[in-house]
Amino acid sequence: MLRRIETRIVNALLGDSIPLPSYATDGSAALDLRACIAEAITLEPGGRALVKTGLAINMMDPGLVAIVASRSGLSLKHGVRVAQGIGVIDADYHGEIGVILANDGQLPYVVQPGERIAQLMFQPVVQVALQVVEEFSTVTDRGAGGFGSTGKG
């Protein structure tokens, strides 16, 4: 079932001199987020910066979360990625989306106004109720085996 999500533009540059976020193809799972900045930002090697997107979302649906993910080409070619791995935007957050970018590369990277910097996808959310127990009631083949217990790695 297709869900519609209301979005708000919070930066005058967005939609004017900087394209609106969009899906690159009909099969794209995520919107491309762009740097909604007036001037370029230089990310030094090992550096981080908060880059504004000009976009705020008002999901009004507690069953959804927005996920900010790195662009694979930016990571591969330049070592620039979303700093915390992924960004989580809860349904009740209504402020402007900012992307924390980190430069793991060897050279400075210049983020240009309007550049595609990350991806935004929407996913369903399940909240769980934690229950403290003395032991688990079922046994599995794996048991309490940890890292690498099911094979190579």
Side-chain angles (χ1 to χ4, degrees), residues 5-8 10 33 50-68 84 87-100 120 122 125 127:
I5 297 170
E6 179 183 328
T7 60
R8 294 175 290 161
V10 297
L33 291 177
L50 177 63
V51 182
K52 298 292 187 165
T53 66
L55 182 72
I57 55 178
N58 185 2
M59 288 190 278
M60 298 175 62
D61 183 344
L64 291 177
V65 63
I67 304 290
V68 178
Q84 68 272 40
V88 174
I89 304 170
D90 296 311
D92 56 356
Y93 175 72
H94 296 165
E96 182 177 3
I97 297 170
V99 178
I100 305 168
L120 182 69
F122 297 89
V125 170
Q127 289 186 340

Side-chain angles (χ1 to χ4, degrees), residues 71-147:
R71 295 192 67 244
S72 56
L74 198 55
S75 295
L76 176 65
K77 294 174 186 173
H78 304 286
V80 175
R81 62 178 173 80
V82 174
Q84 68 272 40
I86 63 166
V88 174
I89 304 170
D90 296 311
D92 56 356
Y93 175 72
H94 296 165
E96 182 177 3
I97 297 170
V99 178
I100 305 168
L101 290 179
N103 183 356
D104 295 332
Q106 302 296 314
L107 301 171
Y109 183 80
V110 180
V111 179
Q112 298 292 339
E115 178 179 350
R116 294 179 299 160
I117 58 169
Q119 302 177 85
L120 182 69
M121 71 170 47
F122 297 89
Q123 295 288 314
V125 170
V126 175
Q127 289 186 340
V128 299
L130 301 177
Q131 181 181 8
V132 177
V133 297
E134 296 295 321
E135 61 184 52
F136 293 117
S137 60
T138 58
V139 177
T140 66
D141 291 339
R142 181 179 188 160
F147 299 105

